[in-house]
Amino acid sequence: MCTSLVFTGQTPYFGRNLDLEYDFGQQVVITPREFPLTFKKMPTLERHYALIGMAAVAAGWPLYAEAMNEKGLYLAGLNFPQSARYPCGPAEGIPAGPYELIPWLLGTCETVDQAVEQLRRVRLLDVPFLPDMPCAPLHWHLSDGKRTVVAEPTAEGLRLYDDPVGVLTNEPPFPFHQANLCQYQGLSPANPDNRLGAPGLSFFGQGMGGLGLPGDCSPASRYVRAAFHRWNSVCPAEEGPAVSQFFHILDSVAMVRGAVRTPEGKWDITRYACCISPAAGAYYYKTYDGGGIIGVDFSEARRQGDALICLPLESAVPPRLL
């Protein structure tokens, strides 16, 4: 289970929580412009836009969970286990594996509009990356800071939805989350008016305008909670406070070890959270056991070259006594 979050506007930010019961070899990976992107069925991209994001590297290839390219286009894959269907898309479409979608689209597109045109022509294949690595059931969150779109491969085809909220979680499909949000339109960060006709009633605490905001870890509840905090978010425009605020919103929908147990008896936790800043050219992350926010520079020098740049995640930092 995961949550993706988008701040649009003059200074956009993108990012997500990656919720999983195991580590998958994740590390921050920069794919420079001249690293050859080889695909199962498509021609190799010898030159492309540079990418930065969290990935596992298998057989020398970056398997991104999410990434942003040098033009500020963001794409994240989130678990969609009940509804995802492969193959999906026009029979004569561009053949791509689900794991190829992030490097292919971000390697070739500058904007959401361009990526949507490619998605309308793609045929998502049920071809495993390796024999022991089947295709993950995913849907995707796509944004350039101006327009945000959700792409869902279903039995009815690859569905594309404009996303006015800037949030994506998991099942059910995106139209459900939009309809479900209608039930929470009355929530407010301010205490509500007394409309019960009893003048002696008073509030015994702040935050009662948010009564009814769901607090569990289900995808539907995380969607509503993230949407509420995103919509009511207030912070200075400077990079530091904005990034901090972004992580606080992700924290509000993070998985705490012990709260969600999988059928196999393992604990689903937020392995990492990230925030990507196109304006600063920076990828920020923090891990479940880490000591704080780490920033990775997506500099021009790192965008050049033909070899992957792999940056292992910083290990846990124990609390300090001052």
Side-chain angles (χ1 to χ4, degrees), residues 7-268:
F7 275 11
T8 56
Q10 187 173 358
T11 308
Y13 294 91
F14 317 117
R16 58 100 57 82
N17 283 344
L18 192 292
D19 308 321
L20 205 59
E21 67 272 24
Y22 59 87
D23 284 319
F24 60 96
Q26 64 269 24
Q27 54 190 323
V28 179
V29 177
I30 296 173
T31 301
R33 298 178 186 126
E34 296 180 2
F35 174 82
L37 287 172
T38 58
F39 302 101
K40 299 289 187 183
K41 304 286 186 179
M42 295 185 292
T44 297
L45 284 176
E46 300 288 352
R47 186 173 175 83
H48 48 79
Y49 296 127
L51 287 68
I52 186 170
M54 195 72 76
V57 177
W61 215 79
L63 296 168
Y64 280 106
E66 85 291 319
M68 182 193 74
N69 71 12
E70 61 184 281
K71 298 298 182 180
L73 183 63
Y74 162 81
L75 185 59
L78 288 80
N79 197 30
F80 196 45
Q82 307 300 322
S83 302
R85 295 291 184 275
Y86 312 123
C88 180
E92 302 303 319
I94 301 168
Y99 44 85
E100 296 175 333
L101 204 59
I102 290 178
W104 175 56
L105 286 180
L106 298 190
T108 58
C109 299
E110 295 186 22
T111 65
V112 166
D113 291 346
Q114 291 175 358
V116 165
E117 287 305 308
Q118 294 286 62
L119 286 168
R120 295 189 191 282
R121 301 188 296 127
V122 76
R123 172 78 167 174
L124 289 175
L125 305 176
D126 190 12
V127 176
F129 178 73
L130 292 173
D132 61 344
M133 296 177 66
C135 294
L138 301 173
H139 59 174
W140 291 272
H141 210 201
L142 172 70
S143 185
D144 56 12
K146 298 175 183 176
R147 181 186 179 192
T148 304
V149 167
V150 171
E152 297 189 331
T154 69
E156 292 74 36
L158 184 62
R159 298 301 190 222
L160 301 173
Y161 305 99
D162 276 291
D163 173 18
V165 178
V167 173
L168 185 63
T169 56
N170 312 105
E171 298 278 1
F174 185 70
F176 168 89
H177 292 293
Q178 291 285 277
N180 184 53
L181 201 58
C182 293
Q183 301 182 90
Y184 300 94
Q185 294 180 84
L187 297 179
S188 169
N191 280 339
D193 296 331
N194 179 5
R195 297 179 179 177
L196 294 179
L201 296 179
S202 61
F203 296 110
F204 48 80
Q206 299 301 316
M208 298 183 72
L211 285 175
L213 185 68
D216 62 88
C217 295
S218 69
S221 294
R222 283 184 286 110
Y223 185 93
V224 173
R225 201 156 64 252
F228 175 82
H229 289 303
R230 179 196 177 280
W231 180 254
N232 292 293
S233 173
V234 177
C235 70
E238 292 81 7
E239 179 82 358
V243 170
S244 176
Q245 179 80 343
F246 196 96
F247 277 104
H248 279 301
I249 295 175
L250 290 177
D251 285 343
S252 76
V253 290
M255 300 286 194
V256 176
R257 185 181 285 121
V260 178
R261 186 172 59 199
T262 70
E264 297 77 24
K266 298 181 179 180
W267 298 115
D268 204 353

